[in-house]
Amino acid sequence: MESRAEQGRDYREQRGPVPVFFHEVQLAHRPRYEWQSGQRIHHPESSTRAEGILQALASRGPVYSVREPRVLDEHEVAKVHSESLLQVYRTASASSSRAAIYPSVFPVDHDHRSVNPANPNHTGAFCLDAGTPLHSSTWAAALWSAASAWDAADYVAVLSEGDVPPLAMSYALCRPPGHHATRDHFGGYCYLNNAALAARRLEALGPVALVDIDFHHGNGSQSIFYASDRVLFASIHGDPEVHYPYFWGYESEQGAGAGLGYNINVPLRVGVGVGAYLDALQTRILSRVRSFKPRFLVVSAGFDTAKGDPLGDFGLVAADFFVLGRLLGELKLPSVIVQEGGYDTSDLGTNVVSFLDGVLAGLSSPA
Ligand code: SP5
Ligand code: ZN
């Protein structure tokens, strides 16, 4: 039997199907409501999202093949998140199946010495917003979502152990999403930062570019790598003056310490056209990624930039997602695509497949 690393030496390009990592338990997390202008609305981060993506992938026949990730050891998760945050999740997972924890009291300026992660009344100390509930099923779903990202990263890492790094790609169908989760806080429908875990898996092997194309700024990923010059974080998103997460995502946030210059934010005004969007991506993000000379690419791939999305307003259609994917593929880097947002469930699957097809086309185009 050849090991996965030995197989990797024969690969220069992706051959055979692109692995899609996903576990059924990820569907069990079903947040019911969130708040919008004081009104209770249906929660947009539904399990239907993942089902639609799976269906669209299946329609592409043998190009993509779904597999279950292996169990993720919690000590890997602890390389990105605090032990207290994980304890908050474990505590919530032990609650009755009907109960939901919606934090609504947030200890601003509290010194946190008396915060107890085993006390559900203290959950607000670990939470950024009121739209990200904890149900008994949340912890297991988030952990499998993280496992999907970690295994997707492991797949390209193992294939890259040879002298010539292969142009492999993998896709983690992460749901719940992750890029708003910081080391210590959950929020923005995110509990564990899946993309950050993937980047952590890879950064030991070489520099990693983490490019975030979700409509919302990836504040969690930014904060986790803010002082790092090993992981370049670059995000293009709706202007935070107007859009969630409001307090982060400005151009002035450029990194700290050794990481100064390794954090790039490109906020775009409401209703920017696809031409201006792709232009900003190329001139302000992809050029910087190239000069950084990464060994790996991780993409926080949100599709709430799509036309008709209830949360975003960039108006991208399936053909645009193909172009976007191809531009990223043309970086010619082993690539891990991590699912983030995207809430128009009628087009989500089509857009995801179009994007992944684009990445594959970019990776395999003549250099
Ligand atoms: C992963 C991800 O995409 N998270 C997004 C979290 C956004 N939560 C706040 C949504 C506020 C919605 N206001 C909607 C106005 C629509 N016209
Ligand atoms: Zn988003």
Side-chain angles (χ1 to χ4, degrees):
M1 265 293 275
E2 272 188 318
S3 72
R4 278 163 83 179
E6 282 161 349
Q7 287 167 14
R9 292 197 188 102
D10 301 332
Y11 281 148
R12 178 68 191 125
E13 290 172 11
Q14 180 79 38
R15 291 186 203 143
V18 174
V20 171
F21 292 89
F22 176 76
H23 196 288
E24 290 257 307
V25 170
Q26 292 173 238
L27 298 174
H29 167 67
R30 288 167 190 265
R32 276 172 239 162
Y33 309 113
E34 76 162 330
W35 303 96
Q36 184 170 298
S37 312
Q39 304 284 327
R40 198 180 75 174
I41 60 167
H42 284 290
H43 204 288
E45 206 288 282
S46 68
S47 52
T48 315
R49 300 177 58 242
E51 287 161 347
I53 294 171
L54 287 170
Q55 223 167 48
L57 289 166
S59 75
R60 291 283 282 119
V63 182
Y64 301 99
S65 98
V66 181
R67 49 175 90 173
E68 268 184 17
R70 295 163 294 180
V71 175
L72 179 58
D73 199 313
E74 285 182 30
H75 89 260
E76 295 295 345
V77 183
K79 293 177 185 170
V80 164
H81 293 288
S82 64
E83 186 51 43
S84 306
L85 182 63
L86 305 187
Q87 208 186 325
V88 168
Y89 298 152
R90 286 188 211 105
T91 303
S93 75
S95 64
S96 89
S97 60
R98 288 224 34 94
I101 300 172
Y102 277 83
S104 58
V105 181
F106 304 94
V108 176
D109 285 347
H110 183 271
D111 67 15
H112 282 59
R113 271 176 299 185
S114 57
V115 170
N116 175 10
N119 179 350
N121 296 319
H122 288 191
T123 307
F126 303 90
C127 183
L128 298 170
D129 62 54
T132 313
L134 300 182
H135 294 258
S136 59
S137 54
T138 301
W139 170 229
L143 198 51
W144 280 113
S145 188
S148 290
W150 200 91
D151 252 16
D154 189 64
Y155 173 86
V156 303
V158 170
L159 284 179
S160 300
E161 277 166 15
D163 298 335
V164 185
L167 295 180
M169 71 177 278
S170 59
Y171 169 59
L173 206 180
C174 290
R175 193 241 148 220
H179 73 151
H180 295 303
T182 68
R183 176 180 161 76
D184 302 300
H185 294 89
F186 63 101
Y189 321 155
C190 302
Y191 305 91
L192 299 175
N193 196 315
N194 308 307
L197 277 156
R200 268 279 135 83
R201 169 69 184 88
L202 297 169
E203 71 170 323
L205 307 179
V208 178
L210 172 46
V211 175
D212 191 319
I213 56 166
D214 187 275
F215 178 77
H216 304 98
H217 175 247
N219 61 291
S221 310
Q222 166 172 300
S223 77
I224 288 163
F225 298 111
Y226 207 60
S228 171
D229 60 357
R230 293 282 287 175
V231 176
L232 173 75
F233 176 72
S235 179
I236 182 165
H237 47 263
D239 185 354
E241 290 276 2
V242 182
H243 294 286
Y244 188 90
Y246 308 119
F247 301 106
W248 303 275
Y250 298 90
E251 266 180 76
S252 57
E253 297 152 23
Q254 297 179 351
L260 187 61
Y262 296 84
N263 194 88
I264 315 290
N265 283 325
V266 180
L268 297 177
R269 278 196 317 274
V270 175
V272 69
V274 64
Y277 175 84
L278 291 174
D279 190 59
L281 179 85
Q282 284 178 283
T283 59
R284 299 176 61 191
I285 293 198
L286 300 185
S287 59
R288 178 69 184 98
V289 168
R290 285 195 173 87
S291 71
F292 177 63
K293 295 192 169 58
R295 182 151 179 220
F296 297 100
L297 174 68
V298 175
V299 182
S300 262
F303 296 83
D304 34 15
T305 51
K307 190 179 169 73
D309 193 280
L311 270 65
D313 61 7
F314 284 170
L316 273 59
V317 298
D320 301 324
F321 284 109
F322 183 89
V323 174
L324 177 54
R326 196 177 58 203
L327 288 170
L328 290 163
E330 281 169 355
L331 292 168
K332 303 288 186 188
L333 296 166
S335 300
V336 182
I337 313 303
V338 179
Q339 180 66 41
E340 301 285 359
Y343 305 98
D344 178 357
T345 48
S346 60
D347 289 336
L348 179 59
T350 310
N351 290 340
V352 169
V353 169
S354 188
F355 175 77
L356 295 175
D357 285 353
V359 177
L360 204 48
L363 282 174
S364 45
S365 71

